[in-house]
Amino acid sequence: MAADEPIFVIQKHNARSLHYDFRLEVDGVLKSWAVPKGPSTNPRDRRLAVAVEDHPLDYADFEGGIPDGEYGAGAVLVWDRGTYRNLRVEDDEPASMVEALRDGHVAVWLEGKKLRGGYALIRTGKDDDNRWLLIKMKDEEADARRNPVSTQPESVLTGRTLEEIAQQ
Ligand code: MN
């Protein structure tokens, strides 16, 4: 894992409802989407991903409880973490992530512990629409039989489950 590659993190978060916060480092912040069902390794699945506010980069390692009454209260665990590469190319050059976000068409290669391979994030509506779809791209890392959201629920940092974190 090269030190200069941008990071991605997926945080499992049981706020009012359970979701997975999918975050990509872009220009010093974490661009973020809330994915209610979590990511899939099956290219046939289209997972709703709601764009939410940017988070600071150092939030990527956060795991623990969030007190009641604070925004996003509940417990958070680091479900996956690693680096990514931008797959979008324009005029034979890597396209900028900022442009890809503006266009509503992001394509990244993830190098995580649970997730690897290409993932696309496609905005479904107009510019001001916060609804996107998170889709596994068809590549050698696609696997319709895996279901890591249910078979690998634990933190990649500490091995704890969300229930164990919430009880502390
Ligand atoms: Mn959240």
Side-chain angles (χ1 to χ4, degrees):
M1 171 183 308
D4 57 350
E5 287 187 319
I7 65 156
F8 84 93
V9 64
I10 301 172
Q11 283 158 315
K12 186 177 179 182
H13 180 196
N14 66 346
R16 257 160 294 174
S17 56
L18 181 70
H19 59 272
Y20 294 74
D21 289 300
F22 184 91
R23 309 190 198 275
L24 297 172
E25 176 186 357
V26 178
D27 283 355
V29 298
L30 294 170
K31 294 289 170 186
S32 301
W33 293 260
V35 184
K37 290 186 174 176
S40 174
T41 54
N42 183 349
R44 297 172 77 99
D45 289 337
R46 302 154 79 83
R47 295 286 161 88
L48 174 67
V50 180
V52 294
E53 71 284 358
D54 297 348
H55 274 54
L57 209 46
D58 61 10
Y59 193 74
D61 290 321
F62 177 76
E63 187 166 284
I66 301 173
D68 284 349
E70 284 187 29
Y71 180 79
V76 173
L77 71 70
V78 177
W79 186 79
D80 201 9
R81 198 182 185 306
T83 58
Y84 78 89
R85 276 187 296 117
N86 182 6
L87 292 175
R88 292 269 321 261
V89 171
E90 250 157 53
D91 302 327
D92 295 330
E93 300 277 319
S96 82
M97 283 296 289
V98 173
E99 272 176 52
L101 289 162
R102 197 170 51 217
D103 294 350
H105 187 179
V106 170
V108 290
W109 182 276
L110 304 182
E111 292 282 350
K113 292 196 165 107
K114 294 173 183 169
L115 300 186
R116 292 176 49 84
Y119 277 82
L121 272 160
I122 315 284
R123 189 166 51 217
T124 59
K126 295 200 185 81
D127 292 355
D128 55 352
D129 196 326
N130 64 354
R131 283 170 299 173
W132 297 58
L133 293 172
L134 176 65
I135 305 166
K136 177 74 196 76
M137 293 164 75
K138 289 178 184 164
D139 54 38
E140 67 272 23
E141 301 293 345
D143 188 344
R145 294 161 304 178
R146 278 187 72 202
N147 188 2
V149 161
S150 65
T151 62
Q152 296 174 275
E154 73 290 345
S155 164
V156 294
L157 292 186
T158 61
R160 295 182 296 174
T161 64
L162 211 46
E163 291 70 30
E164 288 168 329
I165 289 168
Q167 283 161 11
Q168 286 166 5

PDB file of all heavy atoms in Angstrom, residues 46-82:
ATOM      1  N   ARG A  46     -27.507  -3.025  -7.129  1.00  0.00           N
ATOM      2  CA  ARG A  46     -27.372  -1.569  -7.188  1.00  0.00           C
ATOM      3  C   ARG A  46     -27.780  -1.053  -5.832  1.00  0.00           C
ATOM      4  O   ARG A  46     -28.949  -1.093  -5.476  1.00  0.00           O
ATOM      5  CB  ARG A  46     -28.280  -1.012  -8.280  1.00  0.00           C
ATOM      6  CG  ARG A  46     -27.970  -1.595  -9.653  1.00  0.00           C
ATOM      7  CD  ARG A  46     -29.168  -1.568 -10.573  1.00  0.00           C
ATOM      8  NE  ARG A  46     -29.383  -0.258 -11.154  1.00  0.00           N
ATOM      9  CZ  ARG A  46     -28.727   0.184 -12.240  1.00  0.00           C
ATOM     10  NH1 ARG A  46     -27.848  -0.572 -12.833  1.00  0.00           N
ATOM     11  NH2 ARG A  46     -28.972   1.373 -12.716  1.00  0.00           N
ATOM     12  N   ARG A  47     -26.807  -0.583  -5.077  1.00  0.00           N
ATOM     13  CA  ARG A  47     -27.077  -0.179  -3.700  1.00  0.00           C
ATOM     14  C   ARG A  47     -27.235   1.335  -3.604  1.00  0.00           C
ATOM     15  O   ARG A  47     -26.337   2.077  -4.030  1.00  0.00           O
ATOM     16  CB  ARG A  47     -25.924  -0.648  -2.787  1.00  0.00           C
ATOM     17  CG  ARG A  47     -25.807  -2.184  -2.691  1.00  0.00           C
ATOM     18  CD  ARG A  47     -26.911  -2.739  -1.833  1.00  0.00           C
ATOM     19  NE  ARG A  47     -27.165  -4.154  -2.001  1.00  0.00           N
ATOM     20  CZ  ARG A  47     -26.553  -5.148  -1.345  1.00  0.00           C
ATOM     21  NH1 ARG A  47     -25.585  -4.863  -0.500  1.00  0.00           N
ATOM     22  NH2 ARG A  47     -26.902  -6.387  -1.528  1.00  0.00           N
ATOM     23  N   LEU A  48     -28.378   1.761  -3.056  1.00  0.00           N
ATOM     24  CA  LEU A  48     -28.605   3.184  -2.841  1.00  0.00           C
ATOM     25  C   LEU A  48     -27.489   3.753  -1.965  1.00  0.00           C
ATOM     26  O   LEU A  48     -27.119   3.152  -0.948  1.00  0.00           O
ATOM     27  CB  LEU A  48     -29.962   3.399  -2.158  1.00  0.00           C
ATOM     28  CG  LEU A  48     -30.264   4.851  -1.737  1.00  0.00           C
ATOM     29  CD1 LEU A  48     -30.440   5.745  -2.962  1.00  0.00           C
ATOM     30  CD2 LEU A  48     -31.511   4.887  -0.851  1.00  0.00           C
ATOM     31  N   ALA A  49     -26.958   4.901  -2.369  1.00  0.00           N
ATOM     32  CA  ALA A  49     -25.900   5.595  -1.623  1.00  0.00           C
ATOM     33  C   ALA A  49     -26.283   7.070  -1.570  1.00  0.00           C
ATOM     34  O   ALA A  49     -26.302   7.741  -2.601  1.00  0.00           O
ATOM     35  CB  ALA A  49     -24.548   5.405  -2.315  1.00  0.00           C
ATOM     36  N   VAL A  50     -26.617   7.553  -0.392  1.00  0.00           N
ATOM     37  CA  VAL A  50     -27.079   8.929  -0.234  1.00  0.00           C
ATOM     38  C   VAL A  50     -25.893   9.814   0.135  1.00  0.00           C
ATOM     39  O   VAL A  50     -25.248   9.591   1.164  1.00  0.00           O
ATOM     40  CB  VAL A  50     -28.173   9.020   0.848  1.00  0.00           C
ATOM     41  CG1 VAL A  50     -28.648  10.463   1.018  1.00  0.00           C
ATOM     42  CG2 VAL A  50     -29.353   8.107   0.498  1.00  0.00           C
ATOM     43  N   ALA A  51     -25.602  10.795  -0.730  1.00  0.00           N
ATOM     44  CA  ALA A  51     -24.472  11.695  -0.446  1.00  0.00           C
ATOM     45  C   ALA A  51     -24.764  12.473   0.832  1.00  0.00           C
ATOM     46  O   ALA A  51     -25.845  13.035   1.004  1.00  0.00           O
ATOM     47  CB  ALA A  51     -24.266  12.650  -1.619  1.00  0.00           C
ATOM     48  N   VAL A  52     -23.792  12.465   1.739  1.00  0.00           N
ATOM     49  CA  VAL A  52     -23.912  13.200   3.006  1.00  0.00           C
ATOM     50  C   VAL A  52     -22.706  14.137   3.134  1.00  0.00           C
ATOM     51  O   VAL A  52     -21.853  14.191   2.253  1.00  0.00           O
ATOM     52  CB  VAL A  52     -24.036  12.234   4.213  1.00  0.00           C
ATOM     53  CG1 VAL A  52     -25.342  11.453   4.131  1.00  0.00           C
ATOM     54  CG2 VAL A  52     -22.844  11.278   4.290  1.00  0.00           C
ATOM     55  N   GLU A  53     -22.641  14.876   4.236  1.00  0.00           N
ATOM     56  CA  GLU A  53     -21.616  15.919   4.360  1.00  0.00           C
ATOM     57  C   GLU A  53     -20.203  15.326   4.418  1.00  0.00           C
ATOM     58  O   GLU A  53     -20.008  14.207   4.901  1.00  0.00           O
ATOM     59  CB  GLU A  53     -21.887  16.790   5.604  1.00  0.00           C
ATOM     60  CG  GLU A  53     -21.640  16.112   6.943  1.00  0.00           C
ATOM     61  CD  GLU A  53     -22.729  15.122   7.341  1.00  0.00           C
ATOM     62  OE1 GLU A  53     -23.732  14.968   6.597  1.00  0.00           O
ATOM     63  OE2 GLU A  53     -22.557  14.467   8.382  1.00  0.00           O
ATOM     64  N   ASP A  54     -19.238  16.123   3.932  1.00  0.00           N
ATOM     65  CA  ASP A  54     -17.836  15.723   4.023  1.00  0.00           C
ATOM     66  C   ASP A  54     -17.451  15.519   5.488  1.00  0.00           C
ATOM     67  O   ASP A  54     -17.978  16.188   6.372  1.00  0.00           O
ATOM     68  CB  ASP A  54     -16.923  16.829   3.473  1.00  0.00           C
ATOM     69  CG  ASP A  54     -17.158  17.103   1.992  1.00  0.00           C
ATOM     70  OD1 ASP A  54     -17.852  16.309   1.324  1.00  0.00           O
ATOM     71  OD2 ASP A  54     -16.625  18.125   1.523  1.00  0.00           O
ATOM     72  N   HIS A  55     -16.505  14.615   5.718  1.00  0.00           N
ATOM     73  CA  HIS A  55     -15.957  14.427   7.058  1.00  0.00           C
ATOM     74  C   HIS A  55     -14.458  14.718   7.023  1.00  0.00           C
ATOM     75  O   HIS A  55     -13.817  14.530   5.987  1.00  0.00           O
ATOM     76  CB  HIS A  55     -16.208  13.000   7.543  1.00  0.00           C
ATOM     77  CG  HIS A  55     -17.548  12.826   8.191  1.00  0.00           C
ATOM     78  ND1 HIS A  55     -18.729  13.175   7.574  1.00  0.00           N
ATOM     79  CD2 HIS A  55     -17.890  12.350   9.418  1.00  0.00           C
ATOM     80  CE1 HIS A  55     -19.737  12.918   8.399  1.00  0.00           C
ATOM     81  NE2 HIS A  55     -19.255  12.417   9.520  1.00  0.00           N
ATOM     82  N   PRO A  56     -13.883  15.156   8.152  1.00  0.00           N
ATOM     83  CA  PRO A  56     -12.427  15.375   8.184  1.00  0.00           C
ATOM     84  C   PRO A  56     -11.684  14.054   8.024  1.00  0.00           C
ATOM     85  O   PRO A  56     -12.181  12.992   8.413  1.00  0.00           O
ATOM     86  CB  PRO A  56     -12.171  15.999   9.559  1.00  0.00           C
ATOM     87  CG  PRO A  56     -13.391  15.734  10.365  1.00  0.00           C
ATOM     88  CD  PRO A  56     -14.535  15.514   9.418  1.00  0.00           C
ATOM     89  N   LEU A  57     -10.488  14.154   7.465  1.00  0.00           N
ATOM     90  CA  LEU A  57      -9.703  12.968   7.166  1.00  0.00           C
ATOM     91  C   LEU A  57      -9.461  12.096   8.402  1.00  0.00           C
ATOM     92  O   LEU A  57      -9.483  10.867   8.318  1.00  0.00           O
ATOM     93  CB  LEU A  57      -8.364  13.426   6.585  1.00  0.00           C
ATOM     94  CG  LEU A  57      -7.642  12.518   5.614  1.00  0.00           C
ATOM     95  CD1 LEU A  57      -8.571  11.967   4.552  1.00  0.00           C
ATOM     96  CD2 LEU A  57      -6.492  13.292   4.980  1.00  0.00           C
ATOM     97  N   ASP A  58      -9.246  12.730   9.550  1.00  0.00           N
ATOM     98  CA  ASP A  58      -8.898  11.920  10.730  1.00  0.00           C
ATOM     99  C   ASP A  58     -10.100  11.157  11.288  1.00  0.00           C
ATOM    100  O   ASP A  58      -9.955  10.339  12.192  1.00  0.00           O
ATOM    101  CB  ASP A  58      -8.197  12.757  11.808  1.00  0.00           C
ATOM    102  CG  ASP A  58      -9.045  13.896  12.328  1.00  0.00           C
ATOM    103  OD1 ASP A  58     -10.251  13.945  11.995  1.00  0.00           O
ATOM    104  OD2 ASP A  58      -8.497  14.745  13.058  1.00  0.00           O
ATOM    105  N   TYR A  59     -11.281  11.393  10.725  1.00  0.00           N
ATOM    106  CA  TYR A  59     -12.447  10.609  11.162  1.00  0.00           C
ATOM    107  C   TYR A  59     -12.368   9.170  10.656  1.00  0.00           C
ATOM    108  O   TYR A  59     -13.068   8.288  11.162  1.00  0.00           O
ATOM    109  CB  TYR A  59     -13.743  11.268  10.675  1.00  0.00           C
ATOM    110  CG  TYR A  59     -14.973  10.704  11.330  1.00  0.00           C
ATOM    111  CD1 TYR A  59     -15.291  11.009  12.648  1.00  0.00           C
ATOM    112  CD2 TYR A  59     -15.811   9.833  10.632  1.00  0.00           C
ATOM    113  CE1 TYR A  59     -16.400  10.472  13.259  1.00  0.00           C
ATOM    114  CE2 TYR A  59     -16.941   9.291  11.235  1.00  0.00           C
ATOM    115  CZ  TYR A  59     -17.224   9.621  12.549  1.00  0.00           C
ATOM    116  OH  TYR A  59     -18.326   9.075  13.153  1.00  0.00           O
ATOM    117  N   ALA A  60     -11.479   8.928   9.672  1.00  0.00           N
ATOM    118  CA  ALA A  60     -11.396   7.587   9.066  1.00  0.00           C
ATOM    119  C   ALA A  60     -11.063   6.499  10.072  1.00  0.00           C
ATOM    120  O   ALA A  60     -11.426   5.339   9.866  1.00  0.00           O
ATOM    121  CB  ALA A  60     -10.371   7.589   7.931  1.00  0.00           C
ATOM    122  N   ASP A  61     -10.378   6.839  11.150  1.00  0.00           N
ATOM    123  CA  ASP A  61     -10.002   5.832  12.154  1.00  0.00           C
ATOM    124  C   ASP A  61     -10.974   5.783  13.315  1.00  0.00           C
ATOM    125  O   ASP A  61     -10.752   5.047  14.271  1.00  0.00           O
ATOM    126  CB  ASP A  61      -8.599   6.124  12.697  1.00  0.00           C
ATOM    127  CG  ASP A  61      -7.541   5.858  11.644  1.00  0.00           C
ATOM    128  OD1 ASP A  61      -7.682   4.867  10.906  1.00  0.00           O
ATOM    129  OD2 ASP A  61      -6.578   6.650  11.559  1.00  0.00           O
ATOM    130  N   PHE A  62     -12.039   6.607  13.245  1.00  0.00           N
ATOM    131  CA  PHE A  62     -12.928   6.657  14.410  1.00  0.00           C
ATOM    132  C   PHE A  62     -13.759   5.391  14.540  1.00  0.00           C
ATOM    133  O   PHE A  62     -14.389   4.912  13.600  1.00  0.00           O
ATOM    134  CB  PHE A  62     -13.880   7.859  14.359  1.00  0.00           C
ATOM    135  CG  PHE A  62     -14.821   7.852  15.527  1.00  0.00           C
ATOM    136  CD1 PHE A  62     -14.373   8.228  16.790  1.00  0.00           C
ATOM    137  CD2 PHE A  62     -16.122   7.402  15.383  1.00  0.00           C
ATOM    138  CE1 PHE A  62     -15.222   8.172  17.892  1.00  0.00           C
ATOM    139  CE2 PHE A  62     -16.982   7.344  16.485  1.00  0.00           C
ATOM    140  CZ  PHE A  62     -16.531   7.726  17.734  1.00  0.00           C
ATOM    141  N   GLU A  63     -13.755   4.877  15.772  1.00  0.00           N
ATOM    142  CA  GLU A  63     -14.579   3.723  16.118  1.00  0.00           C
ATOM    143  C   GLU A  63     -15.000   3.925  17.558  1.00  0.00           C
ATOM    144  O   GLU A  63     -14.173   4.262  18.402  1.00  0.00           O
ATOM    145  CB  GLU A  63     -13.729   2.447  15.967  1.00  0.00           C
ATOM    146  CG  GLU A  63     -14.501   1.179  16.136  1.00  0.00           C
ATOM    147  CD  GLU A  63     -13.712  -0.041  15.647  1.00  0.00           C
ATOM    148  OE1 GLU A  63     -13.608  -0.246  14.437  1.00  0.00           O
ATOM    149  OE2 GLU A  63     -13.191  -0.761  16.511  1.00  0.00           O
ATOM    150  N   GLY A  64     -16.277   3.751  17.860  1.00  0.00           N
ATOM    151  CA  GLY A  64     -16.735   3.920  19.230  1.00  0.00           C
ATOM    152  C   GLY A  64     -18.171   4.386  19.275  1.00  0.00           C
ATOM    153  O   GLY A  64     -18.872   4.379  18.266  1.00  0.00           O
ATOM    154  N   GLY A  65     -18.575   4.807  20.457  1.00  0.00           N
ATOM    155  CA  GLY A  65     -19.945   5.269  20.646  1.00  0.00           C
ATOM    156  C   GLY A  65     -20.046   6.761  20.408  1.00  0.00           C
ATOM    157  O   GLY A  65     -19.092   7.505  20.650  1.00  0.00           O
ATOM    158  N   ILE A  66     -21.193   7.196  19.908  1.00  0.00           N
ATOM    159  CA  ILE A  66     -21.492   8.622  19.772  1.00  0.00           C
ATOM    160  C   ILE A  66     -22.631   8.889  20.743  1.00  0.00           C
ATOM    161  O   ILE A  66     -23.665   8.232  20.679  1.00  0.00           O
ATOM    162  CB  ILE A  66     -21.921   8.974  18.330  1.00  0.00           C
ATOM    163  CG1 ILE A  66     -20.819   8.608  17.331  1.00  0.00           C
ATOM    164  CG2 ILE A  66     -22.274  10.451  18.224  1.00  0.00           C
ATOM    165  CD1 ILE A  66     -21.236   8.777  15.871  1.00  0.00           C
ATOM    166  N   PRO A  67     -22.449   9.843  21.687  1.00  0.00           N
ATOM    167  CA  PRO A  67     -23.476  10.062  22.717  1.00  0.00           C
ATOM    168  C   PRO A  67     -24.832  10.395  22.130  1.00  0.00           C
ATOM    169  O   PRO A  67     -24.917  11.045  21.083  1.00  0.00           O
ATOM    170  CB  PRO A  67     -22.922  11.243  23.518  1.00  0.00           C
ATOM    171  CG  PRO A  67     -21.468  11.298  23.222  1.00  0.00           C
ATOM    172  CD  PRO A  67     -21.297  10.746  21.837  1.00  0.00           C
ATOM    173  N   ASP A  68     -25.881  10.000  22.840  1.00  0.00           N
ATOM    174  CA  ASP A  68     -27.244  10.366  22.441  1.00  0.00           C
ATOM    175  C   ASP A  68     -27.344  11.872  22.343  1.00  0.00           C
ATOM    176  O   ASP A  68     -26.740  12.594  23.117  1.00  0.00           O
ATOM    177  CB  ASP A  68     -28.254   9.876  23.489  1.00  0.00           C
ATOM    178  CG  ASP A  68     -28.473   8.375  23.370  1.00  0.00           C
ATOM    179  OD1 ASP A  68     -28.015   7.801  22.366  1.00  0.00           O
ATOM    180  OD2 ASP A  68     -29.072   7.803  24.288  1.00  0.00           O
ATOM    181  N   GLY A  69     -28.129  12.335  21.403  1.00  0.00           N
ATOM    182  CA  GLY A  69     -28.349  13.775  21.276  1.00  0.00           C
ATOM    183  C   GLY A  69     -27.378  14.415  20.314  1.00  0.00           C
ATOM    184  O   GLY A  69     -27.634  15.507  19.827  1.00  0.00           O
ATOM    185  N   GLU A  70     -26.238  13.777  20.044  1.00  0.00           N
ATOM    186  CA  GLU A  70     -25.329  14.331  19.051  1.00  0.00           C
ATOM    187  C   GLU A  70     -25.706  13.801  17.684  1.00  0.00           C
ATOM    188  O   GLU A  70     -26.260  12.715  17.552  1.00  0.00           O
ATOM    189  CB  GLU A  70     -23.876  13.954  19.373  1.00  0.00           C
ATOM    190  CG  GLU A  70     -23.315  14.784  20.511  1.00  0.00           C
ATOM    191  CD  GLU A  70     -21.826  14.542  20.719  1.00  0.00           C
ATOM    192  OE1 GLU A  70     -21.135  14.214  19.741  1.00  0.00           O
ATOM    193  OE2 GLU A  70     -21.396  14.675  21.867  1.00  0.00           O
ATOM    194  N   TYR A  71     -25.354  14.573  16.677  1.00  0.00           N
ATOM    195  CA  TYR A  71     -25.704  14.187  15.309  1.00  0.00           C
ATOM    196  C   TYR A  71     -25.142  12.798  15.006  1.00  0.00           C
ATOM    197  O   TYR A  71     -23.974  12.513  15.255  1.00  0.00           O
ATOM    198  CB  TYR A  71     -25.154  15.197  14.307  1.00  0.00           C
ATOM    199  CG  TYR A  71     -25.498  14.815  12.901  1.00  0.00           C
ATOM    200  CD1 TYR A  71     -26.768  15.073  12.398  1.00  0.00           C
ATOM    201  CD2 TYR A  71     -24.589  14.136  12.111  1.00  0.00           C
ATOM    202  CE1 TYR A  71     -27.106  14.693  11.127  1.00  0.00           C
ATOM    203  CE2 TYR A  71     -24.921  13.751  10.825  1.00  0.00           C
ATOM    204  CZ  TYR A  71     -26.182  14.035  10.346  1.00  0.00           C
ATOM    205  OH  TYR A  71     -26.519  13.639   9.082  1.00  0.00           O
ATOM    206  N   GLY A  72     -25.965  11.928  14.462  1.00  0.00           N
ATOM    207  CA  GLY A  72     -25.509  10.597  14.091  1.00  0.00           C
ATOM    208  C   GLY A  72     -25.240   9.697  15.277  1.00  0.00           C
ATOM    209  O   GLY A  72     -24.430   8.787  15.192  1.00  0.00           O
ATOM    210  N   ALA A  73     -25.915   9.952  16.415  1.00  0.00           N
ATOM    211  CA  ALA A  73     -25.710   9.152  17.626  1.00  0.00           C
ATOM    212  C   ALA A  73     -25.791   7.656  17.319  1.00  0.00           C
ATOM    213  O   ALA A  73     -26.447   7.233  16.381  1.00  0.00           O
ATOM    214  CB  ALA A  73     -26.750   9.527  18.665  1.00  0.00           C
ATOM    215  N   GLY A  74     -25.111   6.880  18.156  1.00  0.00           N
ATOM    216  CA  GLY A  74     -25.091   5.431  17.960  1.00  0.00           C
ATOM    217  C   GLY A  74     -23.661   4.944  18.073  1.00  0.00           C
ATOM    218  O   GLY A  74     -22.823   5.594  18.678  1.00  0.00           O
ATOM    219  N   ALA A  75     -23.379   3.791  17.513  1.00  0.00           N
ATOM    220  CA  ALA A  75     -22.025   3.249  17.544  1.00  0.00           C
ATOM    221  C   ALA A  75     -21.502   3.113  16.119  1.00  0.00           C
ATOM    222  O   ALA A  75     -22.258   2.930  15.177  1.00  0.00           O
ATOM    223  CB  ALA A  75     -22.013   1.900  18.254  1.00  0.00           C
ATOM    224  N   VAL A  76     -20.169   3.238  16.005  1.00  0.00           N
ATOM    225  CA  VAL A  76     -19.499   3.207  14.702  1.00  0.00           C
ATOM    226  C   VAL A  76     -18.356   2.210  14.754  1.00  0.00           C
ATOM    227  O   VAL A  76     -17.610   2.186  15.737  1.00  0.00           O
ATOM    228  CB  VAL A  76     -18.926   4.609  14.362  1.00  0.00           C
ATOM    229  CG1 VAL A  76     -18.073   4.557  13.095  1.00  0.00           C
ATOM    230  CG2 VAL A  76     -20.044   5.636  14.208  1.00  0.00           C
ATOM    231  N   LEU A  77     -18.231   1.390  13.736  1.00  0.00           N
ATOM    232  CA  LEU A  77     -17.007   0.585  13.610  1.00  0.00           C
ATOM    233  C   LEU A  77     -16.437   0.724  12.203  1.00  0.00           C
ATOM    234  O   LEU A  77     -17.159   1.021  11.249  1.00  0.00           O
ATOM    235  CB  LEU A  77     -17.220  -0.877  13.998  1.00  0.00           C
ATOM    236  CG  LEU A  77     -18.020  -1.855  13.144  1.00  0.00           C
ATOM    237  CD1 LEU A  77     -17.349  -2.238  11.848  1.00  0.00           C
ATOM    238  CD2 LEU A  77     -18.265  -3.120  13.968  1.00  0.00           C
ATOM    239  N   VAL A  78     -15.118   0.517  12.140  1.00  0.00           N
ATOM    240  CA  VAL A  78     -14.433   0.612  10.843  1.00  0.00           C
ATOM    241  C   VAL A  78     -14.568  -0.738  10.156  1.00  0.00           C
ATOM    242  O   VAL A  78     -13.867  -1.696  10.483  1.00  0.00           O
ATOM    243  CB  VAL A  78     -12.963   1.026  11.018  1.00  0.00           C
ATOM    244  CG1 VAL A  78     -12.248   1.049   9.666  1.00  0.00           C
ATOM    245  CG2 VAL A  78     -12.869   2.397  11.686  1.00  0.00           C
ATOM    246  N   TRP A  79     -15.517  -0.810   9.222  1.00  0.00           N
ATOM    247  CA  TRP A  79     -15.862  -2.098   8.588  1.00  0.00           C
ATOM    248  C   TRP A  79     -14.846  -2.486   7.512  1.00  0.00           C
ATOM    249  O   TRP A  79     -14.549  -3.655   7.318  1.00  0.00           O
ATOM    250  CB  TRP A  79     -17.271  -2.017   8.000  1.00  0.00           C
ATOM    251  CG  TRP A  79     -17.746  -3.320   7.461  1.00  0.00           C
ATOM    252  CD1 TRP A  79     -18.238  -4.365   8.201  1.00  0.00           C
ATOM    253  CD2 TRP A  79     -17.741  -3.731   6.097  1.00  0.00           C
ATOM    254  NE1 TRP A  79     -18.540  -5.408   7.352  1.00  0.00           N
ATOM    255  CE2 TRP A  79     -18.252  -5.046   6.062  1.00  0.00           C
ATOM    256  CE3 TRP A  79     -17.376  -3.122   4.895  1.00  0.00           C
ATOM    257  CZ2 TRP A  79     -18.389  -5.770   4.874  1.00  0.00           C
ATOM    258  CZ3 TRP A  79     -17.511  -3.830   3.711  1.00  0.00           C
ATOM    259  CH2 TRP A  79     -18.009  -5.145   3.719  1.00  0.00           C
ATOM    260  N   ASP A  80     -14.315  -1.486   6.804  1.00  0.00           N
ATOM    261  CA  ASP A  80     -13.227  -1.776   5.861  1.00  0.00           C
ATOM    262  C   ASP A  80     -12.420  -0.498   5.671  1.00  0.00           C
ATOM    263  O   ASP A  80     -12.934   0.611   5.874  1.00  0.00           O
ATOM    264  CB  ASP A  80     -13.749  -2.279   4.518  1.00  0.00           C
ATOM    265  CG  ASP A  80     -12.676  -3.053   3.730  1.00  0.00           C
ATOM    266  OD1 ASP A  80     -11.595  -3.335   4.296  1.00  0.00           O
ATOM    267  OD2 ASP A  80     -12.916  -3.363   2.551  1.00  0.00           O
ATOM    268  N   ARG A  81     -11.164  -0.694   5.302  1.00  0.00           N
ATOM    269  CA  ARG A  81     -10.277   0.460   5.161  1.00  0.00           C
ATOM    270  C   ARG A  81      -9.139   0.076   4.238  1.00  0.00           C
ATOM    271  O   ARG A  81      -8.699  -1.075   4.224  1.00  0.00           O
ATOM    272  CB  ARG A  81      -9.720   0.844   6.531  1.00  0.00           C
ATOM    273  CG  ARG A  81      -9.140   2.253   6.624  1.00  0.00           C
ATOM    274  CD  ARG A  81      -8.599   2.449   8.022  1.00  0.00           C
ATOM    275  NE  ARG A  81      -8.120   3.771   8.329  1.00  0.00           N
ATOM    276  CZ  ARG A  81      -7.222   4.477   7.645  1.00  0.00           C
ATOM    277  NH1 ARG A  81      -6.703   3.985   6.529  1.00  0.00           N
ATOM    278  NH2 ARG A  81      -6.824   5.658   8.059  1.00  0.00           N
ATOM    279  N   GLY A  82      -8.683   1.020   3.429  1.00  0.00           N
ATOM    280  CA  GLY A  82      -7.566   0.749   2.540  1.00  0.00           C
ATOM    281  C   GLY A  82      -7.302   1.956   1.669  1.00  0.00           C
ATOM    282  O   GLY A  82      -7.589   3.088   2.062  1.00  0.00           O
TER     283      GLY A  82
END
